[in-house]
Amino acid sequence: MLTRIDHIGIACFDLDKTVEFYRATYGFEVFHSEINEEQGVREAMLKINETSDGGASYLQLLEPTREDSTVAKWLAKNGEGVHHIAFGTADVDADAADIKGKGVRVLYDEPRRGSMGSRITFLHPKDCHGVLTELVTSAAAESSGH
Amino acid sequence: MLTRIDHIGIACFDLDKTVEFYRATYGFEVFHSEINEEQGVREAMLKINETSDGGASYLQLLEPTREDSTVAKWLAKNGEGVHHIAFGTADVDADAADIKGKGVRVLYDEPRRGSMGSRITFLHPKDCHGVLTELVTSAAAESSGH
């Protein structure tokens, strides 16, 4: 069951400048940053609030690390902006299987590693009214077994 | 101060079909629906979680009610997808003034009426790394004076 807006993924050309924009304009601070080589992105997570399911909602700022990454291709086509949205769940495997069973294309056969040790998958935007949609189980939810 | 992700605004061609997609796929239910004649939209709010500032996070599904609305023009150019993101604040007037003072264009001289009796304004996407950004003070926050 999807129980929170986990994050909004925002693609940008220059991560440092975009982080500085969010800090200077709104006071949002970087909670975590990492490079995800598999996804081809450098990213910063800005924690905005905590959520009623025990998790939190973040902005995820994404800068591509290579020209052939999906985010680089998306930026070349669309320019900077909202790239995807993500819902949090205690069990990404079960939700992905359930949603696949309803005829929505799930992009990975098995969930992959996302930010902060989470496990993630994506749903095809053409099956989701134009919205690239991610499902996330946080590392905390994994380790607590719910 | 911006204290939550208030909502993600998603533009769609057919509100009823899109509401049904979110219900059937994820189990999200309509919390509130209304027509905003000023904005030229028919909308449905799906409540996803509550937030640590006493508010909540929603998906806001938007269908244009007339061809000359900004959402209709946006859909004609972009197709369905994420139209804007919104941050919640207890004082939209103060935050809009503060952000305007930092050189970000605020689209309204005074906040206007948003969903569920809220007061809202928008920041120019070109000043926000491509993201049309809304600031929201909910009716509940207005009436409690904080």
Side-chain angles (χ1 to χ4, degrees):
Chain A
M1 195 171 80
L2 310 185
T3 54
R4 71 179 175 279
I5 294 177
D6 186 84
H7 64 267
I8 301 168
I10 296 172
C12 62
F13 292 116
D14 185 318
L15 185 62
D16 296 339
K17 279 187 185 170
T18 308
V19 162
E20 176 55 18
F21 167 80
Y22 278 96
R23 191 201 62 72
T25 309
Y26 308 122
F28 298 155
E29 301 284 350
V30 174
F31 180 80
H32 174 83
S33 59
E34 67 182 87
I35 293 173
N36 187 321
E37 294 288 1
E38 183 182 15
Q39 304 281 346
V41 293
R42 192 162 78 95
E43 62 177 65
M45 299 291 279
L46 314 181
K47 188 174 179 175
I48 311 302
N49 57 265
E50 295 180 342
T51 55
S52 44
D53 65 349
S57 294
Y58 301 86
L59 297 187
Q60 180 186 54
L61 306 178
L62 300 159
E63 178 198 278
T65 56
R66 53 175 199 265
E67 292 289 320
D68 65 343
S69 70
T70 56
V71 171
K73 291 174 189 169
W74 189 90
L75 274 166
K77 182 180 174 189
N78 299 285
E80 294 186 315
V82 176
H83 175 262
H84 68 272
I85 68 173
F87 297 113
T89 165
D91 189 345
V92 63
D93 301 86
D95 281 304
D98 175 59
I99 289 166
K100 186 178 178 181
K102 292 170 177 169
V104 173
R105 282 169 285 180
V106 176
L107 299 189
Y108 304 152
D109 289 333
E110 295 290 333
R112 298 185 186 177
R113 189 181 67 78
S115 303
M116 302 186 284
S118 62
R119 297 176 66 242
I120 65 171
T121 196
F122 286 93
L123 310 180
H124 199 301
K126 290 194 178 170
D127 295 345
C128 300
H129 288 269
V131 178
L132 177 60
T133 303
E134 181 180 339
L135 309 180
V136 184
T137 295
S138 67
E142 284 280 303
S143 62
S144 69
H146 69 262
Chain B
M1 195 171 79
L2 310 185
T3 52
R4 71 179 175 278
I5 295 177
D6 185 85
H7 64 266
I8 301 169
I10 297 172
C12 61
F13 292 116
D14 184 320
L15 185 62
D16 296 339
K17 280 188 185 168
T18 308
V19 162
E20 176 54 19
F21 167 79
Y22 278 96
R23 192 202 61 73
T25 309
Y26 309 124
F28 298 156
E29 300 285 350
V30 173
F31 179 80
H32 174 85
S33 60
E34 66 181 88
I35 292 173
N36 187 320
E37 294 288 1
E38 184 181 16
Q39 305 281 344
V41 293
R42 192 162 78 95
E43 61 178 65
M45 299 293 278
L46 314 181
K47 188 174 180 176
I48 311 302
N49 57 265
E50 295 180 342
T51 55
S52 44
D53 66 349
S57 294
Y58 302 85
L59 297 187
Q60 181 186 54
L61 307 179
L62 300 159
E63 178 198 277
T65 56
R66 53 175 197 263
E67 292 289 320
D68 65 343
S69 71
T70 57
V71 171
K73 291 175 189 169
W74 189 91
L75 273 166
K77 183 179 173 190
N78 299 284
E80 294 186 315
V82 177
H83 174 262
H84 68 272
I85 68 174
F87 298 114
T89 165
D91 190 343
V92 63
D93 301 88
D95 281 303
D98 175 60
I99 289 166
K100 185 177 179 181
K102 292 170 178 170
V104 173
R105 281 169 286 180
V106 177
L107 299 189
Y108 303 153
D109 289 334
E110 295 290 333
R112 299 185 186 177
R113 188 181 67 79
S115 304
M116 301 186 287
S118 62
R119 297 176 65 243
I120 66 170
T121 196
F122 286 93
L123 310 180
H124 199 301
K126 289 195 178 169
D127 295 345
C128 299
H129 288 269
V131 178
L132 177 59
T133 303
E134 179 180 341
L135 309 179
V136 183
T137 295
S138 67
E142 283 281 304
S143 61
S144 69
H146 67 264

